[in-house]
């Protein structure tokens, strides 16, 4: 029992050291990661970038260097407010007349992190359904939330009871349009402070996408052009900006990104290369002439620009720098044979374990630690050679050594 | 076993009564806080706020539960080491490991009862204000509080039973880091997460036998 309980104490120590030691090492070795901020210029119809470091530089893909003012003129859809303030906003951009007001209305920026997709399945499936055409000037927050399982149910928040009449009305409207219950994914903007409402975009269990909204208390359901042939929906992003050309972006399990167009509810595929929705961060910027998708996996970033016909015009790939100094990173993977860390993108439990990137070097380092501990213990006159402790150090490296030393030190006093 | 449970019951009766009273008071306080929230604000807006922010509306109950478990562990085992009771018990004609196991079982049952009391209280009060979608997730989230409380109880017991201050400091250093494994994002129940939280809780229970092993004949105490 003594051996087993000692092992239990050491194991807890090893687990906590495997979390805390790499964490504090990471804090000590952190450096500002370097990655250029890339934009698509409608003026030169190529990528321009801001390279920040000791000296910030503004350049294009070819290597031409610009000053900040020139750079702003090359990215008029990014810096349109600055340009307008100085009276330098050009009404004709890329040969097209684009008034300032159009830019204000049609520029949009969205960001979808892996955590948005991984966590969407664990969100409690209750949503408020606003009235798109209510009498009041601003949207009124409804007194009930809805869920879509075997039917669409409205739960009154004051009584915690189902509003049967309304539930039947909306369930019937959905069935009439061919909706197959239960809903798989629901996307929409729940923000009570929003100005406009487009309702919700709901994927049914057969893979079709529907738009559901409420107008003067009545259900409105539209079957969109998205079907199972486009892929399995994992996430729907809708920010309800009135001036843009799309209702929402649909992300599929295979990494497809689709825009649901306002004009005719058709879906158009946004070119973005290899996108893994569970691991990569996606940033989409839309402006009156182009739609640009940036896919970043932490070490590389791929940017693709397309016109509103959704054909790819230009692609740019760049390597991101690591957030740890290279020498420090090498040492990290030698001294820590494995480590436990917080994964904020994890679908459920945030703690994850990972092995060293240099397992052979880490094993040799652990072997040296174990041998040193064994030799020092035997030479210091221990009655029995510490085979067990040395074996634990061999397997767990520096964590095991720290735990064994702390435990032994406490016992000797 | 019966006699050990009786002995532990007498030793901890006041602490247990105080723990239940404090937990009941916090439950009542939480209930009234939520009730005030529902009176002052639109209920549907409160529901949405909780859902969107992943705010654990009953999380304050995990603090008194964890504190109670820690204090129970300390109060149960500190007198054993400071009053040398455990050392004397080791001279009785019975298995010392079994004695300790029964003592731990008593403490563990107390923590479990306290957790059941809190979970039932939270579920009952939540059912007045929230739909099943919200309060149905309470047990799967509260299970982490149980593991955390068991871990703290065992850690306090280990440190309290260790007679030397150096040993106490070493054990505290090794065990306190284990608390990091109970940080769980609310409403995101997962089997992997439950296992990760269960493993240190189980290991910490086994760790109580480590300081106890030093009391035996030849243990150098």
């Amino acid at each position: 029992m003594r051996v087993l309980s000692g092992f239990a104490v050491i194991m807890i120590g090893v687990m906590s050291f495997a979390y805390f030691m790499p964490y504090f090492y990471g804090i000590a070795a952190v450096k500002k990661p370097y990655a250029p901020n890339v934009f698509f210029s409608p003026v030169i119809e190529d990528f321009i970038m801001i390279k920040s470091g000791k000296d910030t530089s503004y350049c294009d893909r070819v290597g031409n260097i610009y000053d900040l003012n020139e750079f702003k003129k090359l990215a008029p859809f990014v810096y349109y407010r600055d340009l307008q303030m100085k009276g330098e906003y050009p009404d004709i951009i890329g040969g097209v007349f684009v008034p300032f007001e159009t830019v204000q209305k049609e520029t949009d920026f969205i960001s979808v992190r892996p955590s948005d997709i991984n966590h969407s399945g664990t969100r409690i499936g209750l949503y408020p359904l606003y009235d798109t055409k209510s009498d009041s000037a601003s949207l009124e927050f409804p007194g009930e939330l809805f869920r879509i399982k075997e039917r669409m149910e409205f739960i009154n928040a004051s009584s915690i009871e189902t509003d049967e009449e309304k539930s039947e009305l909306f369930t019937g409207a959905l069935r009439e349009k061919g909706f197959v219950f239960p809903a798989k994914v629901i996307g929409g903007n729940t923000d009570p402070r929003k100005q406009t409402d487009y309702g919700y975009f709901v994927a049914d269990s057969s893979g079709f996408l529907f738009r559901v909204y409420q107008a003067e208390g009545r259900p409105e359901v539209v079957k969109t052009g998205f079907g199972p042939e486009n892929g399995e929906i994992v996430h729907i992003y809708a920010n309800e900006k009135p001036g843009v050309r799309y209702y929402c972006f649909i992300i599929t399990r295979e990494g497809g990104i689709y825009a649901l167009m306002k004009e005719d509810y058709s879906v158009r595929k946004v070119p973005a290369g290899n996108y893994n929705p569970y691991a990569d961060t996606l940033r989409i910027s839309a402006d009156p002439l182009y739609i640009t998708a940036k896919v970043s996996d932490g070490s590389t970033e791929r940017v693709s620009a397309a016109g509103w016909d959704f054909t790819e015009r230009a692609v740019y790939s760049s390597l991101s720098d690591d957030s740890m100094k290279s020498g420090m990173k090498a040492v990290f993977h030698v001294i820590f044979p494995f480590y436990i860390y917080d994964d904020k993108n994890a679908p459920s439990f945030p703690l994850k374990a990972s092995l060293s990137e240099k397992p052979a070097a880490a094993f040799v380092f652990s072997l040296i630690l174990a041998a040193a501990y064994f030799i020092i213990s035997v030479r210091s006159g221990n009655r029995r050679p510490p085979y067990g402790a040395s074996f634990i150090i061999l397997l767990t490296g520096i964590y095991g050594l720290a735990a064994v030393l702390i435990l032994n030190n406490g016992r000797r006093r | 076993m019966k006699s050990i449970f009786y002995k532990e019951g007498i030793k901890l009766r006041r602490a247990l009564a105080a723990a239940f009273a404090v937990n009941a008071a916090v439950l009542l306080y939480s209930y009234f806080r939520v009730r005030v929230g529902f009176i002052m604000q639109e209920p549907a807006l409160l529901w949405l706020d909780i859902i969107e922010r992943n705010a654990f509306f009953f999380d304050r109950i995990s603090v008194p539960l964890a504190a109670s478990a820690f204090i129970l562990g300390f109060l149960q085992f500190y007198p054993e080491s400071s009053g040398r009771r455990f050392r004397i018990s080791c001279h009785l004609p019975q298995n010392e490991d079994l004695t300790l196991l029964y003592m731990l079982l008593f403490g563990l049952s107390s923590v479990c009862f306290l957790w059941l009391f809190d979970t039932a209280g939270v579920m009952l009060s939540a059912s007045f204000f929230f739909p099943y979608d919200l309060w149905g997730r309470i047990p799967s989230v509260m299970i982490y509080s149980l593991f955390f409380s068991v871990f703290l109880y065992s850690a306090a017991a280990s440190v309290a039973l260790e007679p030397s201050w150096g040993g106490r400091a070493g054990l505290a250093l090794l065990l306190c880091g284990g608390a990091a494994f109970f940080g769980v994002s609310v409403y995101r129940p997962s089997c992997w997460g439950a296992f990760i939280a269960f493993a240190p809780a189980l290991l910490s229970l086994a760790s109580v036998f480590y300081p106890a092993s030093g009391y035996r004949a030849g243990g150098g105490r």
Side-chain angles (χ1 to χ4, degrees), chain A residues 1-20 119 121-128 130 141-145 147 149 155-158 160-161 190-192 340 342 344 346-353 402-404 406-411 413, chain B residues 38 42-45 47-48 51-52 54 97 126-134 137 144 151 162 164 166-167 169-171 173-178 180-185 187-190 192-194 196-197 199-200 203-204 206-214 216 219 221:
Chain A
M1 188 51 93
R2 182 187 162 86
V3 174
L4 273 179
S5 56
F7 179 76
V9 176
I10 287 173
M11 277 301 109
I12 294 173
V14 165
M15 284 163 75
S16 39
F17 288 143
Y19 177 76
F20 285 109
H119 295 169
T122 53
R123 185 197 184 278
I124 290 171
L126 291 171
Y127 305 85
Y130 298 85
F141 191 80
E144 73 271 307
L145 302 191
R147 64 165 89 95
K149 287 186 175 171
I155 322 293
N156 188 297
S158 302
I160 324 180
E161 281 173 4
T190 60
D191 190 350
I340 298 169
D342 277 322
K344 291 179 179 66
S348 52
F349 199 70
L351 290 180
K352 288 272 178 297
V404 166
I406 289 170
L407 203 64
N408 285 351
N409 204 31
R411 269 282 153 104
R413 285 180 187 178
Chain B
F38 274 83
E42 177 71 34
L45 209 56
W47 286 6
L48 184 67
I51 292 166
E52 292 298 340
N54 251 340
D97 288 337
S127 65
F128 291 124
F129 303 109
F130 300 101
Y132 173 76
D133 309 63
L134 272 93
R137 296 208 184 182
Y144 294 96
F151 180 85
E162 171 67 43
S164 76
L171 275 173
L173 192 62
L174 288 173
L175 295 174
C176 69
F181 293 93
F182 301 95
V184 59
S185 300
Y187 298 133
R188 287 186 197 134
S190 91
W192 165 243
I196 287 280
L203 282 171
S204 70
S207 75
V208 185
F209 289 88
Y210 183 74
S213 64
R216 287 184 203 132
R221 305 280 175 180

Side-chain angles (χ1 to χ4, degrees), chain A residues 182-235:
Chain A
K184 271 187 164 177
V185 180
I186 301 176
N189 184 2
T190 60
D191 190 350
R193 294 162 298 177
K194 66 182 182 178
Q195 299 298 313
T196 47
D197 176 65
Y198 293 138
Y200 288 86
F201 299 91
V202 188
D204 73 353
S205 60
S206 57
F208 288 98
L209 186 72
F210 294 78
R211 179 185 170 206
V212 187
Y213 63 100
Q214 183 176 215
E216 293 169 337
R218 300 288 307 168
E220 296 286 346
V221 181
V222 182
K223 189 174 185 178
T224 72
F226 189 96
E229 69 280 2
N230 297 112
E232 188 190 341
I233 300 175
V234 289
H235 189 67

